[in-house]
Amino acid sequence: MKSLTINQYSTIHALVSGVFDGMFKISEISHGGSFGIGCSHALAGEMIALDDTYFEIQGAGNIRQLTDHEQLPFAQLTHFNPDDQFPVSHISKQDIYSKLSAQTNIDNIFVAIKIEGLFENVWFRRTNHQEKPYKPFIEAIAEQSEETLHDISGVMIGFWTPEHFQGISVAGIHLHFIDDARKNGGHVFGFQLKNGLLSYEMKQDVKIHLPNKNEYLNTDIKVSDLDDIIKRSEG
Ligand SMILES: [Zn+2]
């Protein structure tokens, strides 16, 4: 089934404003797609969804499958049926924009992206579980675990978001990685791909599902402060 829709649950603006509590059950967001990325309850880890499985990559590195009743504060999901795919070699995160732009102008449209292959290196982070009362996002993120893996096979999943949607999602390329052994991964800061396959699907619909819980409803989202925080933490 071809779907042009990205289902987005909460917003990056809400997340960086401190809405870390789970807001949407897996059983609920699974209707929105089984391909995508997100963030765990209380920033306990990074979420990556593929092959109908929602993985939580915890701060310390453990990977487990999320169950139906568990809740996430943020997710971006879709049904992925690529428009096209092509082999790529010796590219970095910075090259994805030009590779996709060579296909079509993506400046004003969302794109779902999958990159499978052998990576020379992948540099990523995982957020760590936060206790209440929650610290500000920028302090919570200072406790993240960073790691670089070398000569690793795996898959990256995520989205290209146009600049003018910064804050709804993360503008630019936002990817999460999981290795083939399903033993390691996280939110991707950078990588060098040796060789692999890049698949993509243009997405022209975005459906934003907003939480209805008080933690969200009562949060003061100061947009003017947030762009810099998103760039520093999610780039
Ligand atoms: Zn991420």
Side-chain angles (χ1 to χ4, degrees):
M1 179 187 66
K2 195 83 174 158
S3 167
L4 297 175
T5 306
I6 294 171
N7 282 287
Q8 162 128 4
Y9 298 87
S10 193
T11 67
I12 283 288
H13 272 153
L15 187 72
V16 301
S17 297
V19 185
F20 303 162
D21 276 350
M23 295 278 145
F24 298 94
K25 283 186 180 171
I26 294 292
S27 58
E28 184 181 352
I29 69 175
S30 61
H31 298 293
S34 58
F35 175 102
I37 55 181
C39 173
S40 295
H41 171 71
L43 304 186
E46 309 286 340
M47 191 278 281
I48 181 167
L50 73 162
D51 303 331
D52 294 321
T53 307
Y54 301 79
F55 292 101
E56 178 186 66
I57 310 172
Q58 295 174 339
N62 300 323
I63 296 184
R64 68 186 188 93
Q65 292 185 21
L66 291 161
T67 55
D68 277 359
H69 68 278
E70 290 182 85
Q71 302 194 73
L72 303 183
F74 173 85
Q76 201 176 6
L77 291 163
T78 191
H79 300 279
F80 187 65
N81 290 290
D83 295 329
D84 201 2
Q85 56 185 41
F86 52 90
V88 279
S89 58
H90 303 291
I91 62 164
S92 69
K93 188 179 173 191
Q94 288 71 29
D95 298 321
I96 299 174
Y97 173 79
S98 59
K99 290 283 176 194
L100 292 171
S101 296
Q103 309 295 313
T104 192
N105 189 342
I106 62 169
D107 285 356
N108 297 325
I109 196 165
F110 287 73
V111 187
I113 301 165
K114 182 180 187 183
I115 305 170
E116 310 159 81
L118 177 62
F119 294 83
E120 271 175 53
N121 57 65
V122 183
W123 172 37
F124 54 82
R125 74 103 194 277
R126 296 178 293 267
T127 53
N128 272 294
H129 184 271
Q130 299 296 304
E131 300 290 344
K132 283 189 170 178
Y134 293 137
K135 300 184 183 89
F137 184 81
I138 205 73
E139 290 176 33
I141 216 86
E143 297 172 1
Q144 67 193 8
S145 309
E146 289 189 38
E147 196 171 346
T148 303
L149 296 177
H150 299 272
D151 296 317
I152 185 90
S153 289
V155 56
M156 287 181 187
I157 281 181
F159 297 91
W160 158 261
T161 295
E163 180 68 37
H164 50 288
F165 288 93
Q166 171 80 311
I168 305 288
S169 315
V170 176
I173 303 283
H174 184 186
L175 295 167
H176 288 185
F177 172 78
I178 190 166
D179 70 352
D180 282 348
R182 307 291 186 248
K183 295 286 186 199
N184 212 334
H187 166 101
V188 176
F189 284 138
F191 68 83
Q192 283 288 333
L193 176 76
K194 207 169 265 179
N195 52 66
L197 193 65
L198 194 164
S199 315
Y200 69 93
E201 186 180 23
M202 303 293 168
K203 297 286 186 181
Q204 66 191 60
D205 294 340
V206 179
K207 184 169 184 184
I208 302 171
H209 307 254
L210 296 176
N212 61 4
K213 296 183 181 176
N214 284 336
E215 293 97 314
Y216 171 76
L217 297 174
N218 297 332
T219 293
D220 185 9
I221 298 178
K222 294 191 175 68
V223 172
S224 58
D225 298 346
L226 299 178
D227 183 54
D228 182 53
I229 294 173
I230 296 169
K231 284 178 177 154
R232 281 160 60 194
S233 60
E234 301 294 329

